[in-house]
Amino acid sequence: MPSTECSSTIVGKGGKMTATAVVNGDASMDSLSESSTDPKITNGHHGNSPLSAGEPPSPASPKLNGGAVTPEVSLTNKPPSCKKRSRRNSDLEDKTLWDSSYNGAKLQRMAGRETTLRQRPPQRTIFQAGLTPCSKARSSTSSPKPKPDLNSCVVQNGPLYSPVSPHVPPTPTLELMEQDSKDSAQSSSTSTSQDTGTPPEYKDNKGFGIGELVWGKIKGFSWWPGIVVSWRITGKRQASLGMRWLQWFGDGKFSEVSADKLDSFMAFPKYFTQASYNKLASYRRAVYQALEMAADRSEKIFPPCETDNPDDLVKTMLEWANGGFEPKGSEGLKPKGENWSLNHHVFEVSVLEYYPPVKKQKTNLYKSKVGIEEHYSREQMVHEVLKNNRSIEEFCLSCGKTRVVTFHPLFEGGLCQTCKDIYLEISYMYDDDGYQSYCTVCCGGREVLLCGNANCCRCFCVDCLDILVGPGASENAKVLDPWRCYMCQPAQQYGALKQRHDWSIKLQEFFVNDNGQEFESPKMYTAVPAEQRRPVRVLSLFDGIATGYLVLKDLGFKVDQYIASEVCEDSISVGVVRHEGNIQYVHDVRNITRKQLEEWGPFDLVIGGSPCNDLSIVNPARKGLYEGTGRLFFEFYRLLNAAKPKEGDDRPFFWLFENVVAMGVNDKRDISRFLECNPVMINAIEVSAAHRARYFWGNLPGMNRPLCASGMDKLQLQDCLEHGRIAKFGKVRTITTRSNSIKQGKDQHFPVLMNGKEDILWCTELERIFGFPVHYTDLSNMGRGARQKLLGRSWSVPVIRHLFAPLKDYFACE
C-alpha cells in the first residue's frame, strides 16, 4: 500500500503547543475494492497540505519483548533506487513531549478529580489560503494540581488507567480529532473549530451521520472502530455518493469508506476480536479510545479498580460493551446536540499500551529443579550468542526469552510458548499481494522488506535484520534491487541468523508436534493380502468437485460405492458429468442420519473438509469453530463417529479431514481434541506450481512422510500453460475463489505473457495447476469466475494422491 513519508514534531514551549509536519512528495492510492460495495481508501494530491494521507489503522503484530510493547517508527527517507515498500507501518505514532502544565492536568484526570477529556490548548493563530491570519480565543485551563499517587487507580465517569512503572518512561500519547470544522489544513494545532452554517453533507439515506461511532472495514484490514467526520476536517475532497469519511481510533487517520462497509458501534460483540486485542497494541489503543468516548457519551460510571493488573482495569469496560452498553444502549452512544461539535472531545491516550509489572520468579512445584525464566532483549540475546558463545537454541528467536518450548522451524533458535502460538496461527497468512502478512522470523514487524525472488513470497521485518543480522542491515537491503531474503540467499551465517539445513523437515515437524496436546497413536492396520482385498466404499462430506473420487480412480482403486454430500449445484454438475453418474449425491450434510449411514454402509474411508470461511484468520468477520459455517466441522465429527466400525470389527477403516492452516491456534487445538490427533501440514508447492498449505487430520498410513513429486506432476507454471504463452513466474501464490488471487508479486502483475502483453491464467491452465484434467470444470456454460470458484474451493490433486497412495495395500485395484 503506498504510503506518505512524513516527519512530525509536537513540542511544548512557553505554555503553548506548536505542531509542524513535512510531507515528502505526493502520494496516491489506487482503489482497493473489487466491487462497488467494497470500501475504498482515497489519498488525494497533497499539494502543500501538511496532513498525511488518510490511511486505515495498522493492525501490525507487535514484537513480543518481555511482554512490553515498544512502538518503533522509522521515518528515514528511503533512497530513490529502493523499490521495497513497507507494509503494516501506517501506525505512525507521534512521539510527543508535553510541558509540565499539561502533565499536571493529565495526572489530575488520572486521579478522577477532572474529566478524562483533554483541556483546550491556549489561543492559537490560524493561517488559511486567501485569508488573513486571525486569532481565536481559548478558555483558560484550570491551574495544575498536585500530582497524585501513580499507584492508585480511580475511575469516575471515564476510562480506566493503569499504573505506570517508575522504571519505565511514560507511554507516548496520541491525540484523536473528532469534529466537524472548516479549519485550515495548515493550522498549527490539531484542534479545529465548528462550522455551524454547513448543511448535512451525507444525504444518501444510508445513515451514519457525522459524529456517530461505528465499526468500519476496508480491504486488507480487519474491522476497526472509528467515527464519522466531515470532509472538511480531513483536508480533502467531499465524500463520493454512498461513502463516509471516517477517522480511525488509535492513530486518528482518515479513510473514505463505503457506507455498506460500516456497522453501528452497538455491534461490539460481533466485531471485537480478542486475539487481535491480546497481540496488537494499535488495536488495544483503538478499542480503548472508542470505549472511552462511548463511556463519556453514556455518562457511564465504572466502579473503582481493586487491582493493579492492567487486564483487570479494562475488563469492566469490555463487559459493558459486550453487554450492549446498558443502561442507555444505542441512545447513549449518539452524539450530543443537533450541530454537535467535537472540539471539546479531543483526548489523549495513556493506557493499554501498558508495561506489565515485572514477573516474579516462580518455583516449579512439579519438578525438583527450579525453573527461572531469564529475561533478555533480543539485543542481549545476540550479544550472548556472538560474544559469550551461548547456544542460540536456548533463546526464543522472536522475543529473546530463555524459556523455550520448541525450535524455530526455519532458522537456528527456539520459540517460547507465546511466540509459538503466534507462529502457528499466522505464519501462512498472506496479503493481497501474495506475500506473507508478517515477518518470516518473528511473525511480527511494523515495516517489512519483500523478497525480490519472483518465486518467493517471504518477507523480513526491519527489526529482525538490524538486530539479528547486524546494525544497518535493513538499510543495505533497501538499496539492493532485487534483494533476496535469507531463505533464498546461500545457507550461511548472517550475524546471529542462520538457516537450518533441514528446514523443510523441521517445518513439517513444527506443525505436527504440539507439546500442549499429546494423543495416542492411531490404530495401525496390517496390510491386506492381495487376494482378500475388496473395492473401497467411501463417504465424502463437503465433496466439492469430486477430487476424492478422481484420485481414487487415477490410482486404480475399485470403488464399490461413493456417497457424496454437496450443496453447490455447479459442483454436483461437475461430479455427475465427469464421473458418469457413479457418485451418489445426498446434498446437505446436516440432514444425514445414522439410519441412512447404516443403509449405505459400511464405509472403509470417510473424507471431507468443512468450509473455512469462519475459521480462517484472513476473514476479519470470522465467527470461529462454534458459530456460522465453523460449526459444520461437528457434522463431520458426528458422521465420522457414526461410520466407525463397531467394537470387535477389525476391518481397516480410514478417515481424512482437511482445513486451512491460517486458523486460530485455539480452533486448531479444539479440532485436534475432538479428532484425537494432531494434524500434518502439507503445502502443495512441492508437488505443483502453486502454494496451497493445508492441515490434514486422519489415520491414513504414512501421512507425515515427506512429500515427493511424481513424474506426472507439473512443478513449474510454464508446464501448465498453453502453447505460445510464457510464464513470468516459476510458481504462483495460493489461488482462491477471488479473481485477483492470480495476480503475483508486490506490483500485482498477471503471471503470463502473451504476444508481449500480460494476461490472466486461462481456466484450462488453472486446472493443470490444481492437477485436474483439462476442461474438467468446462460444462453447463459456466464462466471463468464460476470455474475459478470451484477450483479455489477444491483440493490439490497431487497432495490427495500422495495421501491416498498407501491405501493400495488395503483395497482392490484394477
Side-chain angles (χ1 to χ4, degrees):
M1 182 173 64
S3 62
T4 302
E5 299 178 8
C6 62
S7 61
S8 60
T9 307
I10 303 178
V11 296
K13 184 176 180 181
K16 298 182 180 181
M17 286 193 300
T18 304
T20 63
V22 180
V23 177
N24 299 329
D26 298 335
S28 62
M29 177 172 294
D30 297 332
S31 173
L32 295 179
S33 60
E34 284 187 349
S35 64
S36 60
T37 60
D38 284 341
K40 294 191 287 188
I41 314 171
T42 304
N43 284 4
H45 185 84
H46 293 283
N48 296 324
S49 173
L51 294 177
S52 60
E55 294 179 11
S58 171
S61 176
K63 194 180 305 40
L64 301 173
N65 190 356
V69 180
T70 306
E72 298 178 359
V73 182
S74 174
L75 295 177
T76 306
N77 293 335
K78 297 178 176 60
S81 61
C82 175
K83 295 186 178 180
K84 305 298 174 293
R85 63 185 179 83
S86 63
R87 300 182 291 115
R88 309 284 179 190
N89 65 337
S90 62
D91 196 12
L92 297 178
E93 304 165 348
D94 295 331
K95 308 298 184 182
T96 309
L97 301 174
W98 303 101
D99 60 3
S100 59
S101 63
Y102 178 77
N103 286 331
K106 180 179 68 175
L107 294 175
Q108 293 168 19
R109 292 193 296 275
M110 291 176 63
R113 294 193 295 270
E114 294 283 347
T115 175
T116 62
L117 305 178
R118 181 165 66 84
Q119 299 295 327
R120 295 182 181 180
Q123 149 179 332
R124 61 174 182 153
T125 301
I126 294 178
F127 298 91
Q128 185 169 354
L131 298 179
T132 59
C134 61
S135 297
K136 289 195 175 184
R138 295 287 185 183
S139 59
S140 59
T141 59
S142 58
S143 59
K145 297 181 181 180
K147 295 182 180 180
D149 182 8
L150 290 179
N151 292 327
S152 63
C153 179
V154 181
V155 181
Q156 294 181 358
N157 191 24
L160 299 167
Y161 290 91
S162 65
V164 181
S165 171
H167 303 290
V168 180
T171 306
T173 57
L174 296 176
E175 39 184 51
L176 177 67
M177 298 181 298
E178 295 184 63
Q179 61 182 14
D180 181 11
S181 72
K182 340 191 266 188
D183 277 354
S184 168
Q186 295 187 2
S187 171
S188 60
S189 170
T190 55
S191 298
T192 53
S193 61
Q194 177 185 7
D195 178 21
T196 58
T198 304
E201 60 186 74
Y202 302 126
K203 301 179 181 180
D204 49 17
N205 297 322
K206 291 190 176 183
F208 305 114
I210 294 176
E212 187 168 345
L213 300 177
V214 296
W215 288 94
K217 175 74 174 71
I218 60 177
K219 188 175 179 181
F221 295 89
S222 59
W223 286 87
W224 204 272
I227 183 169
V228 180
V229 297
S230 169
W231 66 274
R232 297 176 182 84
I233 192 177
T234 67
K236 306 179 186 299
R237 56 171 176 77
Q238 291 192 19
S240 304
L241 184 65
M243 308 293 286
R244 298 290 185 274
W245 277 109
L246 253 64
Q247 188 171 23
W248 301 106
F249 286 100
D251 59 6
K253 295 186 178 181
F254 302 96
S255 295
E256 188 180 8
V257 184
S258 170
D260 297 328
K261 292 295 182 178
L262 300 181
D263 204 343
S264 170
F265 198 63
M266 286 294 297
F268 191 92
K270 179 179 180 181
Y271 298 113
F272 174 74
T273 306
Q274 187 66 45
S276 298
Y277 183 84
N278 292 338
K279 287 181 288 191
L280 306 183
S282 56
Y283 188 78
R284 288 198 298 270
R285 186 188 313 109
V287 170
Y288 174 75
Q289 286 183 349
L291 290 178
E292 184 183 48
M293 176 162 288
D296 178 69
R297 290 184 177 182
S298 301
E299 300 178 350
K300 175 66 176 178
I301 300 178
F302 296 99
C305 60
E306 300 177 355
T307 67
D308 293 337
N309 188 341
D311 291 332
D312 295 337
L313 297 179
V314 296
K315 183 177 180 180
T316 306
M317 297 182 76
L318 292 175
E319 290 177 350
W320 173 63
N322 286 315
F325 301 95
E326 297 296 336
K328 293 188 176 182
S330 59
E331 290 296 322
L333 299 182
K334 292 182 178 179
K336 311 299 182 185
E338 181 178 358
N339 292 321
W340 189 67
S341 172
L342 301 177
N343 59 345
H344 64 289
H345 286 273
V346 182
F347 55 86
E348 51 86 23
V349 176
S350 60
V351 295
L352 269 75
E353 210 174 70
Y354 50 76
Y355 296 88
V358 179
K359 295 183 179 179
K360 297 180 180 179
Q361 296 178 348
K362 297 182 180 180
T363 302
N364 192 333
L365 301 178
Y366 301 98
K367 296 182 181 180
S368 57
K369 183 179 179 180
V370 176
I372 298 177
E373 180 178 2
E374 299 178 77
H375 290 273
Y376 287 89
S377 67
R378 292 209 295 174
E379 291 83 354
Q380 292 172 322
M381 173 193 72
V382 172
H383 177 79
E384 291 291 322
V385 171
L386 298 182
K387 302 298 183 182
N388 297 336
N389 296 323
R390 289 187 63 176
S391 173
I392 198 171
E393 300 290 351
E394 301 176 12
F395 298 90
C396 174
L397 200 60
S398 180
C399 69
K401 291 182 179 179
T402 56
R403 186 164 291 179
V404 172
V405 298
T406 188
F407 54 86
H408 194 287
L410 302 178
F411 298 96
E412 293 184 359
L415 289 174
C416 65
Q417 184 63 53
T418 303
C419 294
K420 173 193 173 184
D421 290 346
I422 294 175
Y423 207 98
L424 285 169
E425 187 168 307
I426 64 177
S427 59
Y428 279 95
M429 182 177 177
Y430 296 93
D431 283 339
D432 289 340
D433 56 8
Y435 283 89
Q436 286 180 318
S437 298
Y438 300 102
C439 174
T440 298
V441 178
C442 66
C443 275
R446 293 176 181 272
E447 182 180 2
V448 295
L449 301 179
L450 310 180
C451 180
N453 184 353
N455 296 321
C456 181
C457 57
R458 302 187 184 277
C459 62
F460 287 71
C461 72
V462 168
D463 288 340
C464 283
L465 266 65
D466 289 340
I467 295 174
L468 299 179
V469 179
S474 62
E475 292 301 323
N476 295 334
K478 292 176 184 179
V479 176
L480 298 176
D481 190 15
W483 172 75
R484 293 183 178 269
C485 72
Y486 297 101
M487 294 297 295
C488 297
Q489 292 186 35
Q492 63 186 41
Q493 184 110 10
Y494 298 93
L497 193 66
K498 185 178 180 181
Q499 181 190 131
R500 294 187 184 275
H501 68 278
D502 57 346
W503 66 266
S504 59
I505 299 175
K506 287 293 186 180
L507 185 64
Q508 178 66 38
E509 293 179 4
F510 178 79
F511 283 92
V512 171
N513 297 329
D514 193 334
N515 296 334
Q517 290 182 298
E518 297 293 341
F519 302 98
E520 294 183 3
S521 300
K523 181 179 179 181
M524 302 300 295
Y525 299 97
T526 58
V528 177
E531 61 275 7
Q532 298 179 14
R533 297 172 190 167
R534 56 182 179 81
V536 64
R537 301 173 65 90
V538 183
L539 174 63
S540 177
L541 308 176
F542 320 103
D543 184 64
I545 53 177
T547 310
Y549 187 88
L550 174 70
V551 171
L552 289 173
K553 298 303 291 184
D554 284 349
L555 289 173
F557 284 92
K558 293 181 179 179
V559 180
D560 182 27
Q561 190 168 20
Y562 192 96
I563 306 293
S565 171
E566 180 56 54
V567 295
C568 174
E569 294 299 331
D570 287 341
S571 298
I572 294 174
S573 298
V574 171
V576 170
V577 173
R578 296 306 174 204
H579 303 295
E580 302 174 348
N582 293 323
I583 299 176
Q584 179 180 345
Y585 284 97
V586 294
H587 298 283
D588 198 333
V589 66
R590 294 170 292 185
N591 298 330
I592 300 176
T593 64
R594 182 181 291 269
K595 182 178 180 180
Q596 289 175 317
L597 290 183
E598 293 175 351
E599 295 174 355
W600 299 330
F603 294 103
D604 306 304
L605 176 64
V606 177
I607 59 176
S610 61
C612 64
N613 308 54
D614 285 318
L615 294 177
S616 174
I617 62 174
V618 177
N619 177 17
R622 63 188 179 278
K623 299 178 181 179
L625 183 63
Y626 301 97
E627 297 294 337
T629 59
R631 299 173 61 181
L632 292 176
F633 158 74
F634 296 101
E635 296 298 330
F636 178 89
Y637 175 72
R638 173 180 68 88
L639 297 176
L640 173 63
N641 287 327
K644 285 182 177 179
K646 294 181 173 58
E647 188 174 355
D649 188 351
D650 293 331
R651 63 181 175 85
F653 176 81
F654 302 100
W655 61 274
L656 179 73
F657 179 76
E658 173 268 350
N659 217 295
V660 66
V661 168
M663 69 169 62
V665 66
N666 290 330
D667 289 337
K668 173 208 168 188
R669 288 174 178 168
D670 286 346
I671 292 175
S672 300
R673 181 165 52 87
F674 279 99
L675 297 180
E676 299 181 359
C677 70
N678 284 317
V680 297
M681 190 279 296
I682 301 179
N683 193 347
I685 191 64
E686 300 182 36
V687 290
S688 71
H691 292 267
R692 198 170 187 83
R694 292 294 184 267
Y695 276 139
F696 291 92
W697 289 261
N699 69 339
L700 302 182
M703 285 184 63
N704 57 354
R705 73 188 191 277
L707 187 62
C708 299
S710 65
M712 65 183 72
D713 295 331
K714 301 182 185 301
L715 304 182
Q716 297 296 320
L717 178 59
Q718 187 63 54
D719 300 334
C720 304
L721 302 184
E722 301 289 349
H723 179 70
R725 291 162 60 82
I726 301 173
K728 294 183 61 180
F729 304 89
K731 307 271 189 177
V732 294
R733 55 176 285 197
T734 301
I735 297 174
T736 67
T737 58
R738 299 171 57 184
S739 59
N740 68 342
S741 64
I742 64 173
K743 293 182 178 180
Q744 308 296 314
K746 55 192 175 185
D747 297 325
Q748 293 286 277
H749 291 294
F750 286 117
V752 179
L753 285 176
M754 183 175 180
N755 297 327
K757 297 182 180 180
E758 289 187 0
D759 195 11
I760 61 174
L761 287 168
W762 294 350
C763 291
T764 54
E765 296 167 341
L766 288 174
E767 290 166 341
R768 289 192 186 101
I769 291 173
F770 278 87
F772 289 100
V774 177
H775 299 295
Y776 184 77
T777 59
D778 185 11
L779 71 162
S780 302
N781 294 321
M782 277 193 290
R784 183 191 178 283
R787 293 173 67 179
Q788 180 176 338
K789 287 183 178 180
L790 295 182
L791 293 168
R793 291 193 293 260
S794 70
W795 289 343
S796 175
V797 170
V799 171
I800 303 303
R801 186 187 299 117
H802 164 82
L803 293 171
F804 282 2
L807 298 180
K808 295 173 75 73
D809 290 334
Y810 299 88
F811 303 104
C813 295
E814 296 174 349

